[in-house]
Amino acid sequence: KQWYQRRVRGLQHNVIFPPMPSGLPLDEVTLPQTLKKYGYSTHAIGKWHLGFYQWAYTPTYRGFDSHVGYYVGAEDYFQHTRQYNNYTGYDFRNNTAVFEKKGVYSSNVFANQAIKIVEDYASNPDQQQPLFLYVAFQACHEPLESTPFFEENCQSIFLT
């Protein structure tokens, strides 16, 4: 069955904004839920954006063994906050717990977490469980932010 955001009830309006009680319907089976049936270890890193207004809509309740990242879109890459109307909220998680990483560039957090999961997996010579690792880097999403290193060393490729 093909899934398109605008065809799924509850998501046909556009994207999920912070105050919206919306999400991928719970009767829609996700890829990690299916992979779990076949014995996979499943991990998500980065942007979720498929619902968070109840725990049942969040990654670790939708088939992932772990999730490090954020639930909504357009958050600050360093402060991990999202502004909406007159409110600002912190949105960075390690599973369901708040993950204090203020001041750390999100792409670095995500890359380090991915490396840790793969190294932990590879370090077990008796590993029989297949691994599914979903990584959704923030670097292609608004608000486009970078580290000083890339701003200084990649000036020739920035478009004006």
Side-chain angles (χ1 to χ4, degrees), residues 47-131:
K47 183 179 179 179
W48 174 246
H49 215 184
L50 291 175
F52 61 93
Y53 80 103
Q54 293 176 350
W55 288 121
Y57 289 85
T58 60
T60 55
Y61 288 82
R62 299 304 299 264
F64 286 106
D65 295 318
S66 71
H67 171 249
V68 167
Y70 59 107
Y71 292 155
V72 299
E75 78 163 33
D76 184 278
Y77 287 49
F78 294 93
Q79 297 307 310
H80 314 296
T81 55
R82 166 70 196 267
Q83 289 186 304
Y84 189 81
N85 292 336
N86 294 324
Y87 300 96
T88 300
Y90 188 80
D91 179 25
F92 215 59
R93 301 282 175 158
N94 183 356
N95 298 319
T96 57
V98 172
F99 198 32
E100 291 294 338
K101 289 290 183 178
K102 289 182 183 175
V104 182
Y105 189 59
S106 62
S107 290
N108 294 341
V109 174
F110 300 154
N112 290 336
Q113 183 67 19
I115 290 166
K116 180 185 181 314
I117 289 171
V118 171
E119 286 179 346
D120 288 350
Y121 181 81
S123 69
N124 183 353
D126 299 323
Q127 182 63 259
Q128 298 296 315
Q129 189 176 30
L131 172 68

